[in-house]
Structures are given as structure tokens and as C-alpha cells.
């Protein structure tokens, strides 16, 4: 199995995918289906790539970790500001219209990054300096970052803001009538998601060592959406589990093919056709697990003991309404 | 810009606009009936191009399971185009059975249908890649051999040619638009389609077989997608299995501009985006692909109901 982990690359990818799924889950908490995460992911990555290759001039040796952290912070700020600018007009839209507007946003960013000089055009930016000797050491940043974002979302769901998100998700008009400002809360949820995607992008740029326009594409929007919906969109554990499993799945299929003892054609199919299986599994997953793999009911027993009313109650209806 | 160049740009825009229109019609038909965007439509578009490519008797490349397979049949191009589109239509029906019907039967969240159709799209695209590889395929020049030479605008010294392909594309797309308009407005099937798109429950209470109509819609949608795929494949080349994905996104821009589910709107929007793209100045041509999405974004903010649409009153 050690070879499977490819110096920890798969493990890091799984953690990054979990956080990207969370970045899509955040606006979904307020009932907003936004597919903008890859755009902010790309923006964050370019921020880090440009900063580390142009402005910080590393004097040989390993790239200092505090610089990486600073880039992640800057990427978060940049993405947050862009999210507010894009979010205020775009979040007047609902459901599928918002999804389409965010797809347009991602595509416009992609075309821009393909053509601008600062982003290295079609070639992109390469030779992004590495702070660590081995990929697995990125765990020191990615691991705590995932735990931190999970903890913050766990807290968010339990404070006034998170409850306002849930109210808007359930019924925006009723929430507004109760004195909750829908625009403020929707833009806030969207911006939080964008900041997380941007921070992850900044880290990914270092992990991948190169950054180009392929990082922020529509395909990724879909992948992240699949992470959330297959994992479960009603608790933040769902996106984390979904992101990790779906990232690991194609590699697992490859590992199965390598086990040996299988007929040649089957091993060959598992190796080269594993994305076919991936697609079929996504389709089957939505049909057989319409609520996702992780649902709040899984935790309900424990929650009942602590309080009379489960925190997940009232959010058990569908995830995003048009 | 002189007049011949202008004319050429207009013809370019109309040709590509026609393809956008028929591709987007496939999207919009399904949306008008089910209120769901079928994300597998781009994959069906790709399939259509490959089917026609096979049916005219072309050879596969060096990658994939079917490498170097010589196809024993060789049909004339118009027949292959039609058959390819029918096959694409049938594939679209299969997509409906696999990704839409099980979820519809259960009354699931439309969002899930979006993801299941995407799952099927991923499977189709990778199946193509598995079978015939990720190569770029070009339609052989001989299929256009029997056709008249391109019209030449301008003088002999500075010719401004319009390719035959573009004229064919424009003609085919106009024929399709006219036929489809007749089907929707002039036949019983069309009346039933309009009734279901207005109110599916009432329509089925009035004796319309909704399930069969949905199958028909998917067939038509795939048929249109398949034709669009072949036409684009013919005018550029079949750029591998992922060919339809980028095109599918532009199709989204077209249907939003036209108003989701609005058939005349989709045709108009197809031509508008086609013309807008062909008038991007030469020095900004790299940004051409952003035109459709910029229009989409602005349109959503200004007039989400689409070009020809009425404002939808929010029901409380």
C-alpha cells in the first residue's frame, strides 16, 4: 500500500478535496448553490504562485513555511474581496440561475488566466518553490487546516449566523420576515466559501509545484458538487467524507487492478477505464443515496442525549431550492 | 473593416450561431419539460460527431481498445449525418432511463438529477476515450468533394472566401430550426409538448402520456445534439472525447440568454452569440471564448428571464 500513497500525494489530495468540498458546502448552508469554488481556488493558487516566484526570492534551500502561510492569508483576502464584489450582484439570483452565473464566473476567470501575461498564459506558472523535502510533510499544513475549517464550520452551525443561514436555506422569505437580512447572510456564506477555496488554492500551488488555467475549470465545479452531494449535504461531515472517498476512489480502482490474479481484460479495464466506473458510481450514488453517505440521522442518537431538540432538525428538507 | 470582410464575418457568425442554436435547442427542450439542465447533453454531442465519423467509413487511430479498426461500412455523408444523429438520439434516451427516470420516479431534488446526469456524462466521455483514445479526428476532405466550391467574395488578388462547410452548416441549421418550429407549433405532438412544459401534472391528468413524451423529448434533444456535434466536428475537427464539454458550457450561455426553456429565444440567442464572437477584434481573439460567458453573466443580472421572456412573478 505504501506505493499507493505516492509519497503522500494522494493523502494530501484527499485533504485538499475535503476542504474544497467544504468551500462549496458553506454557501449551500445558506441554500445557495454556487459552483464558483474552482474560480477562487484558481485565484488563490495564482496569488501564491505569483508571490512565491516573483516577489519572494528564496535564497536556495527550502522555501520558508511562514511565507507559505502568508501567501495563504493573502490569497484568502484577495478571494474574499472578489467574492464580495461578485457576490452582491450575483446572489440576487436563485437556484439554477445562480449556479449558471457562477459557472460563467469560473469560465471568465479561466479565459483571463489563459491569456494574461501575469498568469503565464497557457503554460502557466511553474517551478513554484517547495517548503518541504517530501510531499507527505505538507500534512503539517493541510491537516491542521482541515481540522480548523471543520471546527469553525462546526461552531458556525451553532451560533446566530449559522442559524440565520439555515433559516434562509429553509425559507428565504420567512427568514426575511423574521428580521434576518438575506443579502448580508448569503454574501457572507458565499465569501466564507471563497476564502476557504482561495486558501486551499494557495497551498495547492505549492503542493503541485505548478499552476495553470486547468486548475480552475468547470469539471472541478462538478467534482466538488459531487463530493458534497455524494458525501451528504446536510452536515459538514458529509463533504469531508465525500471529498476524501471520491478522490481516493480512482486510485483504489487502480490498486485493485494491480492486485493481480484478475483476468487481463478486467485489470486493463480497471486501469484505463477507471473513470468510466467513477462516472457510473456518481450516477448510482445519487440514485441509491439521495441524501448522501453521511446524514445527520447518523449522529442523532448521540445528540438527543445532550439536548432535547436535535440541532439538525428543521434542516432536513432538500438542500437548495430554486 | 471593408464590406467584403464584414460580409465574411457575418457569414462566419451565422454558421457558428446556427450550430449554437440547434445545440441549445436540445438543452432547452429538456429544460422546458423537466425544468432540469441535462448536463450529459455535451457528451451526446460528442457521441454524434463520432458516430458520423464512423459511419462515413473512417479509420480509428492508434490509441484505445478499438485502435486501427477499419469500419466495414461507408455511407454517403448526408445519410451518415442523419443516422449518426438518430444514434445520438437513442443514446440520449438511454441517458434518460439511467440518470433521470429513477430520480424522477422518486420525486428527488432536481439538484441530484444534475449530478446523476453529470455522472453519466463522465462515464460516456471516458468510455469514448477508452474505446478510441484521446486523439483528434478530422473528417476526410472527400466528404465535401462533391459539393460546389466555396463562394469567393472580394477580388482575385485579395479573395475573401467563405468555406463550403459554413454554408452547409448554416443551411442545415436553418432547416432544423424550421422543422422543429413546425413540430412544436403545427402538430399534435408539439401541442402535447407545450402542454407538458406549461403544467406537467395537469397535462397528464388530461390524458397526455408524460413518460413517453419525455422519452421523445430526450430523443429529439439527442438528435439535435448529434447533428450539432457532426457539424462542429466537420468545420474544425473532433477534438477528442472532451470536445463536447466546452461546447456544452457555451450552450448554457445560449439558453440563459434566450431564456431557459424558451425555444425561439434559444435560436435568437445562438445567432447573437455566434455573431458577437465573430466580431471580436483580431487582437482580442484569444478572449473570444469569454464573450458568451460575459453575455451570460450580464444577462442574468439584467434580465434573468431571457431576451424574449416575460418576468416571472415570485409566488409566495
Amino acid at each position: 500500500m505504501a506505493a499507493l500513497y505516492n509519497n503522500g500525494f494522494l493523502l494530501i489530495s484527499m485533504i485538499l478535496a475535503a476542504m474544497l468540498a467544504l468551500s462549496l458546502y458553506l454557501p449551500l448552508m445558506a441554500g445557495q448553490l454556487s459552483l464558483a469554488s474552482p474560480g477562487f481556488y484558481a485565484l488563490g493558487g495564482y496569488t501564491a504562485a505569483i508571490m512565491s516566484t516573483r516577489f519572494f526570492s528564496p535564497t536556495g534551500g527550502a522555501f520558508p513555511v511562514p511565507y507559505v502561510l502568508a501567501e495563504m492569508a493573502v490569497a484568502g483576502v484577495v478571494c474574499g474581496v472578489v467574492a464580495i464584489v461578485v457576490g452582491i450582484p450575483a446572489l440576487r439570483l436563485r437556484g439554477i440561475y445562480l449556479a449558471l452565473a457562477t459557472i460563467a464566473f469560473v469560465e471568465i476567470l479561466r479565459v483571463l488566466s489563459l491569456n494574461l501575461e501575469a498568469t503565464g498564459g497557457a503554460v502557466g506558472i511553474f517551478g513554484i518553490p517547495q517548503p518541504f523535502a517530501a510531499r507527505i510533510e505538507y500534512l503539517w499544513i493541510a491537516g491542521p487546516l482541515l481540522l480548523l475549517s471543520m471546527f469553525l464550520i462546526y461552531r458556525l452551525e451553532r451560533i446566530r449566523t449559522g442559524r440565520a443561514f439555515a433559516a434562509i436555506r429553509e425559507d428565504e422569505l420567512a427568514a426575511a420576515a423574521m428580521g434576518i437580512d438575506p443579502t448580508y447572510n448569503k454574501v457572507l456564506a458565499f465569501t466564507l466559501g471563497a476564502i476557504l477555496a482561495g486558501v486551499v488554492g494557495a497551498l495547492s500551488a505549492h503542493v503541485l509545484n505548478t499552476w495553470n488555467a486547468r486548475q480552475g475549470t468547470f469539471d472541478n465545479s462538478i467534482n466538488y458538487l459531487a463530493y458534497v452531494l455524494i458525501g451528504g449535504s446536510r452536515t459538514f461531515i458529509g463533504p469531508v467524507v465525500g471529498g476524501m472517498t471520491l478522490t481516493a476512489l480512482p486510485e483504489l480502482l487502480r490498486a485493485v487492478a494491480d492486485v493481480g490474479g484478475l483476468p487481463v481484460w478486467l485489470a486493463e479495464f480497471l486501469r484505463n477505464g477507471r473513470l468510466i466506473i467513477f462516472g457510473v458510481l456518481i450516477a448510482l450514488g445519487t440514485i441509491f443515496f439521495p441524501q448522501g453517505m453521511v446524514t445527520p440521522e447518523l449522529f442523532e442518537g448521540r445528540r438527543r442525549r445532550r439536548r432535547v431538540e436535535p440541532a439538525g432538525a428543521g434542516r432536513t428538507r432538500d438542500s437548495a431550492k430554486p | 473593416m471593408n464590406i467584403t470582410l464584414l460580409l465574411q464575418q457575418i457569414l462566419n457568425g451565422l454558421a457558428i450561431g446556427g450550430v449554437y442554436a440547434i445545440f441549445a435547442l436540445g438543452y432547452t427542450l429538456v429544460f422546458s419539460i423537466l425544468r432540469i439542465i441535462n448536463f450529459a447533453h455535451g457528451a451526446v454531442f460528442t457521441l454524434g460527431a463520432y458516430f458520423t465519423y464512423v459511419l462515413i467509413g473512417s479509420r480509428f487511430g492508434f490509441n484505445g481498445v478499438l485502435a486501427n479498426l477499419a469500419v466495414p461500412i461507408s455511407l454517403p455523408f448526408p445519410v451518415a449525418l442523419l443516422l449518426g444523429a438518430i444514434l445520438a438520439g437513442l443514446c440520449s434516451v438511454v441517458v434518460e432511463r439511467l440518470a433521470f427516470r429513477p430520480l424522477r420516479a422518486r420525486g428527488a431534488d432536481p439538484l441530484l438529477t444534475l449530478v446523476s446526469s453529470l455522472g453519466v456524462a463522465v462515464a460516456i466521455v471516458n468510455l469514448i476515450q477508452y474505446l478510441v483514445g484521446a486523439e483528434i479526428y478530422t473528417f476526410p476532405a472527400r466528404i465535401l468533394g462533391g459539393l460546389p466550391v466555396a463562394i469567393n467574395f472580394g477580388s482575385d488578388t485579395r479573395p475573401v472566401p467563405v468555406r463550403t462547410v459554413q454554408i452547409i452548416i448554416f443551411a442545415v441549421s436553418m432547416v432544423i430550426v424550421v422543422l422543429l418550429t413546425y413540430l412544436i407549433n403545427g402538430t399534435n405532438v408539439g401541442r402535447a409538448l407545450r402542454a407538458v412544459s406549461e403544467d406537467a401534472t395537469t397535462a397528464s391528468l388530461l390524458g397526455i402520456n408524460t413518460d413517453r413524451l419525455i422519452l421523445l423529448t430526450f430523443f429529439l434533444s439527442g438528435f439535435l445534439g448529434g447533428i450539432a456535434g457532426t457539424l462542429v466536428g466537420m468545420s474544425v475537427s473532433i477534438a477528442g472525447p472532451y470536445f463536447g464539454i466546452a461546447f456544452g458550457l457555451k450552450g448554457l450561455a445560449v439558453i440563459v440568454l434566450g431564456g431557459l426553456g424558451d425555444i425561439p429565444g434559444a435560436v435568437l440567442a445562438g445567432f447573437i452569440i455566434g455573431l458577437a464572437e465573430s466580431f471580436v477584434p483580431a487582437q482580442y481573439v484569444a478572449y473570444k471564448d469569454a464573450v458568451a460567458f460575459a453575455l451570460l453573466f450580464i444577462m442574468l443580472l439584467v434580465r434573468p428571464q431571457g431576451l424574449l421572456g416575460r418576468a416571472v412573478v415570485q409566488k409566495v
Side-chain angles (χ1 to χ4, degrees):
Chain A
M1 289 298 266
L4 171 68
Y5 287 107
N6 186 18
N7 292 332
F9 186 64
L10 180 62
L11 191 59
I12 306 286
S13 306
M14 285 164 65
I15 293 176
L16 297 178
M19 283 190 282
L20 288 167
L22 284 176
S23 81
L24 202 139
Y25 174 77
L26 274 163
L28 214 52
M29 277 173 73
Q32 307 305 307
L33 172 60
S34 152
L35 298 177
S37 287
F40 292 112
Y41 173 72
L43 195 59
Y46 276 119
T47 309
I50 292 169
M51 281 173 75
S52 56
T53 52
R54 301 260 169 87
F55 299 122
F56 299 148
S57 45
T59 51
F63 191 72
V65 175
Y67 282 15
V68 178
L69 298 178
E71 286 165 15
M72 285 159 64
V74 173
V77 171
V78 170
C79 288
V81 171
V82 174
I84 292 171
V85 173
V86 177
I88 289 173
L91 287 160
R92 295 190 326 194
L93 301 162
R94 291 146 184 267
I96 194 75
Y97 291 96
L98 176 64
L100 293 173
T102 51
I103 291 174
F105 167 73
V106 171
E107 279 298 300
I108 291 170
L109 276 187
R110 187 182 65 85
V111 175
L112 282 180
S113 59
L114 259 179
N115 292 296
L116 291 178
E117 207 178 306
T119 54
V123 184
I125 297 169
F126 46 88
I128 297 168
Q130 299 285 317
F132 303 114
R135 278 245 171 77
I136 190 77
E137 291 181 63
Y138 275 103
L139 262 183
W140 292 116
I141 302 179
L145 191 62
L146 175 63
L147 293 178
L148 180 69
S149 42
M150 282 169 74
F151 175 73
L152 290 178
I153 291 173
Y154 173 83
R155 285 304 306 152
L156 179 64
E157 286 185 341
R158 275 151 194 82
I159 60 172
R160 185 194 288 267
T161 313
R163 292 183 184 279
F165 288 180
I168 292 170
R169 169 172 167 154
E170 274 310 297
D171 189 332
E172 193 178 323
L173 288 166
M178 296 289 291
I180 294 168
D181 182 352
T183 313
Y184 169 80
N185 283 293
K186 276 154 57 175
V187 174
L188 181 63
F190 181 75
T191 308
L192 289 175
I195 292 173
L196 181 57
V199 170
V200 175
L203 182 58
S204 288
H206 285 280
V207 174
L208 294 177
N209 191 253
T210 167
W211 202 255
N212 53 44
R214 277 197 302 280
Q215 306 304 333
T217 62
F218 171 70
D219 296 15
N220 298 340
S221 306
I222 295 321
N223 284 337
Y224 306 163
L225 184 62
Y227 297 163
V228 175
L229 292 184
I230 300 284
S233 61
R234 284 156 53 211
T235 154
F236 70 96
I237 310 285
V240 173
V241 172
M244 291 196 160
T245 359
L246 288 188
T247 309
L249 191 65
E251 299 310 312
L252 277 177
L253 291 174
R254 197 209 300 267
V256 171
D258 289 341
V259 163
L262 293 169
V264 176
W265 64 269
L266 185 62
E268 192 66 18
F269 182 71
L270 283 175
R271 217 168 276 133
N272 297 325
R274 60 187 196 283
L275 287 171
I276 305 173
I277 302 172
F278 181 70
V280 171
L281 285 178
I282 288 181
L284 290 179
T286 54
I287 292 166
F288 293 109
F289 297 98
Q291 307 287 354
M293 294 189 287
V294 184
T295 58
E297 282 81 45
L298 282 178
F299 309 104
E300 210 139 80
R302 207 185 314 156
R303 264 186 203 154
R304 274 237 173 80
R305 255 174 272 137
R306 268 193 306 159
R307 58 173 84 185
V308 184
E309 190 197 8
R315 294 214 293 113
T316 47
R317 293 222 322 257
D318 49 354
S319 47
K321 280 191 260 55
Chain B
M1 189 182 280
N2 62 29
I3 190 80
T4 47
L5 197 63
L6 182 76
L7 222 73
Q8 190 197 24
Q9 297 294 34
I10 290 176
L11 273 162
N12 281 342
L14 288 178
I16 189 68
V19 182
Y20 286 158
I22 52 175
F23 179 75
L25 279 175
Y27 257 134
T28 230
L29 273 175
V30 169
F31 189 87
S32 70
I33 301 289
L34 293 180
R35 308 277 141 192
I36 294 167
I37 288 177
N38 172 17
F39 268 104
H41 193 52
V44 172
F45 164 96
T46 314
L47 279 176
Y50 277 97
F51 283 142
T52 313
Y53 181 79
V54 172
L55 289 171
I56 57 170
S58 310
R59 180 177 272 278
F60 286 125
F62 303 105
N63 298 310
V65 176
L66 302 180
N68 281 319
L69 183 81
V71 185
I73 37 172
S74 175
L75 298 172
F77 179 70
V79 181
L81 172 68
L82 202 64
L83 263 182
I86 289 172
L87 286 174
L90 294 176
C91 289
S92 178
V93 168
V94 173
V95 170
E96 198 272 336
R97 296 304 287 261
L98 293 180
F100 284 75
R101 182 163 297 187
L103 288 164
R104 195 172 66 246
R106 193 177 298 156
D109 189 343
L111 202 61
L112 283 175
T113 317
L114 195 142
V115 175
S116 70
S117 69
L118 281 162
V120 173
V122 170
I124 293 177
V125 163
N126 286 290
L127 183 66
I128 298 173
Q129 181 152 5
Y130 184 68
L131 292 177
V132 302
E135 290 162 67
I136 292 173
Y137 288 100
T138 311
F139 275 89
R142 70 181 152 80
I143 63 162
L144 302 174
L147 298 164
V149 186
I151 306 168
N152 231 333
F153 290 107
S155 59
D156 290 340
T157 46
R158 283 191 56 216
V160 184
V162 174
R163 293 161 65 207
T164 320
V165 179
Q166 289 172 316
I167 293 167
I168 298 173
I169 289 175
F170 181 63
V172 171
S173 52
M174 279 333 286
V175 170
I176 296 278
V177 167
V178 170
L179 285 179
L180 192 74
T181 313
Y182 172 71
L183 180 80
I184 302 282
N185 292 322
T187 63
N188 273 332
V189 174
R191 205 162 293 132
L193 276 172
R194 279 181 291 147
V196 173
S197 82
E198 198 68 44
D199 185 339
T201 324
T202 314
S204 72
L205 285 175
L206 291 173
I208 293 171
N209 186 340
T210 328
D211 273 344
R212 199 190 299 163
L213 211 63
I214 289 172
L215 278 186
L216 176 74
T217 308
F218 270 87
F219 176 79
L220 278 176
S221 154
F223 184 85
L224 295 171
I227 289 194
T230 303
L231 293 179
V232 176
M234 199 169 74
S235 80
V236 276
S237 46
I238 308 174
Y242 290 89
F243 175 49
I245 305 257
F247 206 84
L249 286 175
K250 252 185 216 170
L252 284 181
V254 174
I255 59 170
V256 173
L257 200 63
L260 283 169
D262 185 337
I263 288 165
V267 176
L268 181 64
F271 283 115
I272 288 176
I273 290 184
L275 285 170
E277 281 188 353
S278 68
F279 280 101
V280 173
Q283 68 266 40
Y284 298 117
V285 84
Y287 293 97
K288 200 183 76 174
D289 285 340
V291 169
F293 298 104
L295 282 174
L296 187 160
F297 202 75
I298 296 165
M299 195 64 189
L300 280 172
L301 299 182
V302 183
R303 250 184 99 79
Q305 71 271 34
L307 287 170
L308 307 175
R310 300 160 290 178
V312 180
V313 179
Q314 171 78 38
K315 285 184 203 149
V316 180

